[in-house]
Amino acid sequence: MPAEKKEKTNIHRNHRQKVREKYYASGFRGMASHNILEMLLFFGIPYKDTNPIAHELIDRFGSLSAVFEANRTDLMQIKGMTENAACLISMILPLYQKYAQELVKRRQSFKDVEEAVAFLRTLYLDNNNIERVFLLCFDANNSLITYRMIGEGDVSSSNFDMRKLASTVLETNAASVVLSHNHPHGIAAPSYADTVATADIASLLNVLNVKFADHIIVTDKSHFSMAGSNKYVQMFYNFKEKKKFED
C-alpha cells in the first residue's frame, strides 16, 4: 500500500513538472483557462489532481476573470478546494491592482484619457458594486503626485465631502486634478446630478486656483470623459479662462 501511494504521488509530481515546463517555455500563450487555474492550484493543493477542480471553478463562475473576482467563501464551496488555494486565488486581483498602481507611480504621468482609464479601472477592481470617488492630483509638470478615495457613493451624494477634496488638493499642493467615479453595471454618461456636482467642484477648484483637468466616469465596459465632451468641456476651464473661451 505505501508503495502504491508513492507511485501515485510521483505521477502527480511528473505531471506538475510538465505543466511548469510548458509555462516556462511559452507562458500562458495558448493555454486554456482551466489549465491556468490547474497550475495555480498546484501551490494551494499539494499531491492532488487539480484539473477537475479547475474545470468546476470555470463551470461554476463562468470565466477565469470571474473566478478571480469570486470571494473566498464562494470558492470554498467547490469540492476539493482548500483554504490555502482559495486564499491564493483571492489574492490575484489585489496583487494585479497593486502592480498596476505601482507601475503608474514609476511612470508618473498619463499620455491620454485611455491611459488614465486603464489605471482608474484598477482602483475599482474590488469595489463590490459600490460607487467610489477618486481624486488624482498632478504637479505643474503633469506628473502624478498621489491618488485618493475621497468618497463613497456618487459625487452628488452626502457621502462625498467637498472639504475632503479641498484639503487633499491643498495638502498635496496640486496644480491640476482629475476626478473619477464609477457607475457599477450602469452607463458611463453623466446624470443630471453628476453634472451639477461637477459644476460645483469646478467652482471650488477655481477658487483654489487649481486646474480641473477632467471628470471621468467609469463602468465595467466603458468610460466617459466629461472634459472630452463638447457638452461639458466649458466646466473644465477656470472661470477667468472661460470668458475667453466663450469669446
PDB file of all heavy atoms in Angstrom, residues 198-210:
ATOM      1  N   THR A 198     -20.398  68.339 -10.663  1.00  0.00           N
ATOM      2  CA  THR A 198     -19.158  68.679 -11.373  1.00  0.00           C
ATOM      3  C   THR A 198     -19.001  70.185 -11.496  1.00  0.00           C
ATOM      4  O   THR A 198     -17.897  70.729 -11.329  1.00  0.00           O
ATOM      5  CB  THR A 198     -19.141  68.030 -12.771  1.00  0.00           C
ATOM      6  OG1 THR A 198     -19.289  66.610 -12.637  1.00  0.00           O
ATOM      7  CG2 THR A 198     -17.841  68.316 -13.506  1.00  0.00           C
ATOM      8  N   ALA A 199     -20.098  70.878 -11.765  1.00  0.00           N
ATOM      9  CA  ALA A 199     -20.059  72.345 -11.842  1.00  0.00           C
ATOM     10  C   ALA A 199     -19.663  72.949 -10.490  1.00  0.00           C
ATOM     11  O   ALA A 199     -18.872  73.902 -10.428  1.00  0.00           O
ATOM     12  CB  ALA A 199     -21.407  72.883 -12.298  1.00  0.00           C
ATOM     13  N   ASP A 200     -20.178  72.386  -9.403  1.00  0.00           N
ATOM     14  CA  ASP A 200     -19.831  72.870  -8.067  1.00  0.00           C
ATOM     15  C   ASP A 200     -18.348  72.638  -7.767  1.00  0.00           C
ATOM     16  O   ASP A 200     -17.676  73.495  -7.175  1.00  0.00           O
ATOM     17  CB  ASP A 200     -20.681  72.170  -7.008  1.00  0.00           C
ATOM     18  CG  ASP A 200     -22.145  72.587  -7.055  1.00  0.00           C
ATOM     19  OD1 ASP A 200     -22.436  73.654  -7.640  1.00  0.00           O
ATOM     20  OD2 ASP A 200     -22.984  71.843  -6.514  1.00  0.00           O
ATOM     21  N   ILE A 201     -17.859  71.485  -8.173  1.00  0.00           N
ATOM     22  CA  ILE A 201     -16.439  71.167  -7.959  1.00  0.00           C
ATOM     23  C   ILE A 201     -15.560  72.108  -8.779  1.00  0.00           C
ATOM     24  O   ILE A 201     -14.517  72.583  -8.303  1.00  0.00           O
ATOM     25  CB  ILE A 201     -16.160  69.692  -8.323  1.00  0.00           C
ATOM     26  CG1 ILE A 201     -16.861  68.762  -7.326  1.00  0.00           C
ATOM     27  CG2 ILE A 201     -14.663  69.396  -8.359  1.00  0.00           C
ATOM     28  CD1 ILE A 201     -16.966  67.328  -7.776  1.00  0.00           C
ATOM     29  N   ALA A 202     -15.990  72.394 -10.004  1.00  0.00           N
ATOM     30  CA  ALA A 202     -15.245  73.331 -10.857  1.00  0.00           C
ATOM     31  C   ALA A 202     -15.149  74.700 -10.191  1.00  0.00           C
ATOM     32  O   ALA A 202     -14.100  75.352 -10.219  1.00  0.00           O
ATOM     33  CB  ALA A 202     -15.902  73.433 -12.223  1.00  0.00           C
ATOM     34  N   SER A 203     -16.234  75.145  -9.574  1.00  0.00           N
ATOM     35  CA  SER A 203     -16.248  76.440  -8.882  1.00  0.00           C
ATOM     36  C   SER A 203     -15.263  76.444  -7.717  1.00  0.00           C
ATOM     37  O   SER A 203     -14.514  77.412  -7.520  1.00  0.00           O
ATOM     38  CB  SER A 203     -17.653  76.754  -8.368  1.00  0.00           C
ATOM     39  OG  SER A 203     -18.575  76.858  -9.428  1.00  0.00           O
ATOM     40  N   LEU A 204     -15.255  75.351  -6.940  1.00  0.00           N
ATOM     41  CA  LEU A 204     -14.346  75.246  -5.805  1.00  0.00           C
ATOM     42  C   LEU A 204     -12.891  75.262  -6.264  1.00  0.00           C
ATOM     43  O   LEU A 204     -12.051  75.985  -5.694  1.00  0.00           O
ATOM     44  CB  LEU A 204     -14.638  73.960  -5.029  1.00  0.00           C
ATOM     45  CG  LEU A 204     -13.650  73.600  -3.911  1.00  0.00           C
ATOM     46  CD1 LEU A 204     -13.628  74.680  -2.836  1.00  0.00           C
ATOM     47  CD2 LEU A 204     -14.006  72.249  -3.309  1.00  0.00           C
ATOM     48  N   LEU A 205     -12.583  74.481  -7.287  1.00  0.00           N
ATOM     49  CA  LEU A 205     -11.203  74.402  -7.767  1.00  0.00           C
ATOM     50  C   LEU A 205     -10.746  75.730  -8.361  1.00  0.00           C
ATOM     51  O   LEU A 205      -9.569  76.093  -8.274  1.00  0.00           O
ATOM     52  CB  LEU A 205     -11.071  73.272  -8.801  1.00  0.00           C
ATOM     53  CG  LEU A 205     -11.214  71.854  -8.219  1.00  0.00           C
ATOM     54  CD1 LEU A 205     -11.285  70.821  -9.329  1.00  0.00           C
ATOM     55  CD2 LEU A 205     -10.059  71.539  -7.275  1.00  0.00           C
ATOM     56  N   ASN A 206     -11.690  76.471  -8.945  1.00  0.00           N
ATOM     57  CA  ASN A 206     -11.352  77.789  -9.475  1.00  0.00           C
ATOM     58  C   ASN A 206     -10.925  78.724  -8.343  1.00  0.00           C
ATOM     59  O   ASN A 206      -9.947  79.468  -8.458  1.00  0.00           O
ATOM     60  CB  ASN A 206     -12.542  78.377 -10.225  1.00  0.00           C
ATOM     61  CG  ASN A 206     -12.220  79.726 -10.821  1.00  0.00           C
ATOM     62  OD1 ASN A 206     -11.363  79.839 -11.685  1.00  0.00           O
ATOM     63  ND2 ASN A 206     -12.901  80.766 -10.346  1.00  0.00           N
ATOM     64  N   VAL A 207     -11.636  78.663  -7.232  1.00  0.00           N
ATOM     65  CA  VAL A 207     -11.289  79.479  -6.061  1.00  0.00           C
ATOM     66  C   VAL A 207      -9.902  79.098  -5.543  1.00  0.00           C
ATOM     67  O   VAL A 207      -9.112  79.958  -5.124  1.00  0.00           O
ATOM     68  CB  VAL A 207     -12.341  79.309  -4.944  1.00  0.00           C
ATOM     69  CG1 VAL A 207     -11.874  79.967  -3.653  1.00  0.00           C
ATOM     70  CG2 VAL A 207     -13.677  79.883  -5.390  1.00  0.00           C
ATOM     71  N   LEU A 208      -9.595  77.789  -5.597  1.00  0.00           N
ATOM     72  CA  LEU A 208      -8.301  77.299  -5.113  1.00  0.00           C
ATOM     73  C   LEU A 208      -7.193  77.483  -6.141  1.00  0.00           C
ATOM     74  O   LEU A 208      -6.036  77.142  -5.881  1.00  0.00           O
ATOM     75  CB  LEU A 208      -8.415  75.811  -4.747  1.00  0.00           C
ATOM     76  CG  LEU A 208      -9.374  75.470  -3.608  1.00  0.00           C
ATOM     77  CD1 LEU A 208      -9.497  73.956  -3.451  1.00  0.00           C
ATOM     78  CD2 LEU A 208      -8.925  76.116  -2.303  1.00  0.00           C
ATOM     79  N   ASN A 209      -7.564  77.986  -7.343  1.00  0.00           N
ATOM     80  CA  ASN A 209      -6.604  78.207  -8.433  1.00  0.00           C
ATOM     81  C   ASN A 209      -5.937  76.898  -8.876  1.00  0.00           C
ATOM     82  O   ASN A 209      -4.723  76.825  -9.107  1.00  0.00           O
ATOM     83  CB  ASN A 209      -5.538  79.222  -8.023  1.00  0.00           C
ATOM     84  CG  ASN A 209      -4.820  79.797  -9.227  1.00  0.00           C
ATOM     85  OD1 ASN A 209      -5.390  79.895 -10.331  1.00  0.00           O
ATOM     86  ND2 ASN A 209      -3.558  80.174  -9.052  1.00  0.00           N
ATOM     87  N   VAL A 210      -6.756  75.868  -8.968  1.00  0.00           N
ATOM     88  CA  VAL A 210      -6.294  74.546  -9.396  1.00  0.00           C
ATOM     89  C   VAL A 210      -7.028  74.161 -10.674  1.00  0.00           C
ATOM     90  O   VAL A 210      -8.256  74.299 -10.752  1.00  0.00           O
ATOM     91  CB  VAL A 210      -6.555  73.483  -8.302  1.00  0.00           C
ATOM     92  CG1 VAL A 210      -6.220  72.084  -8.805  1.00  0.00           C
ATOM     93  CG2 VAL A 210      -5.751  73.812  -7.054  1.00  0.00           C
TER      94      VAL A 210
END
